[in-house]
Amino acid sequence: MTNETSQDQFEELSLEALEADGDLAADYLEGLLDIADLDGDLDIEVRNQRAYVSVNGGDTGLDALANPDAVQALQDLTRLAVQAKTGRFTRLIVDIGGSRDARAQQLTSLVDAAVAQIAAGKDEVTLEAMSSYERKLVHDEVAERGYVSESIGEGRGRRLVIRPA
């Protein structure tokens, strides 16, 4: 399977609904930052049928939240808060201090290494466990390079296997 999450599983939302999700998420995150006494500027963007909320700037305390596990936890909490307000699942993405871009670069490096191993004769390469968002990024990167990928495993242990086409 090259595209793990088909668009059919999620209802298409209007731009207004996606922007509203982003606003609700930003309000929730702003409240959390206030409780933690952290500063940060919130930016909301809509692309690829997702609301993206980024927290940037601020002080060095924000850096502690920029690790992948903390960002994923904040994203999960924020999604639940938005879902509680709207009554529907949201696919919003939370980014802290550019951590999503940094992780995307790491994932590209993982794909580089996997492709090199396949080019050297390996039949397949299994990558580390990662979130559904990260797996989606890797699926797309692998497909762009002309290889195929498949998700295997369950829950937090779900990972990708990359093979030649």
Side-chain angles (χ1 to χ4, degrees):
M1 170 166 56
T2 58
N3 192 357
E4 167 179 65
T5 306
S6 87
Q7 288 291 339
D8 299 340
Q9 292 176 329
F10 303 102
E11 65 181 278
E12 286 280 322
L13 297 177
S14 68
L15 179 60
E16 293 78 19
L18 291 167
E19 288 173 340
D21 283 1
D23 288 338
L24 289 169
D27 290 345
Y28 178 76
L29 287 168
E30 188 171 35
L32 284 178
L33 291 173
D34 285 345
I35 290 168
D37 197 27
L38 295 173
D39 292 322
D41 298 321
L42 289 109
D43 297 313
I44 304 167
E45 179 183 1
V46 173
R47 65 180 188 269
N48 301 326
Q49 271 292 296
R50 292 179 189 252
Y52 288 76
V53 181
S54 301
V55 182
N56 296 300
D59 52 32
T60 56
L62 200 58
D63 293 342
L65 295 178
N67 78 65
D69 290 334
V71 172
Q72 185 63 47
L74 283 171
Q75 178 172 286
D76 291 344
L77 288 171
T78 305
R79 283 180 171 178
L80 288 172
V82 171
Q83 184 175 351
K85 296 273 188 189
T86 64
R88 62 177 162 64
F89 178 77
T90 181
R91 296 172 59 208
L92 75 90
I93 301 295
V94 172
D95 181 38
I96 308 293
S99 62
R100 292 286 182 185
D101 288 339
R103 182 62 176 152
Q105 290 175 353
Q106 290 173 341
L107 294 172
T108 298
S109 294
L110 286 175
V111 172
D112 289 342
V115 166
Q117 290 177 48
I118 292 169
K122 202 162 183 187
D123 290 336
E124 65 182 33
V125 176
T126 302
L127 300 181
E128 65 189 47
M130 55 188 75
S131 73
S132 61
Y133 176 73
E134 292 172 341
R135 287 192 310 274
K136 170 71 170 113
L137 294 176
V138 172
H139 280 304
D140 292 347
E141 182 72 24
V142 168
E144 279 183 27
R145 295 175 187 220
Y147 291 81
V148 295
S149 57
E150 176 184 12
S151 291
I152 60 169
E154 300 291 325
R156 293 197 178 274
R158 198 152 169 86
R159 59 191 66 237
L160 279 103
V161 176
I162 300 172
R163 296 181 185 96

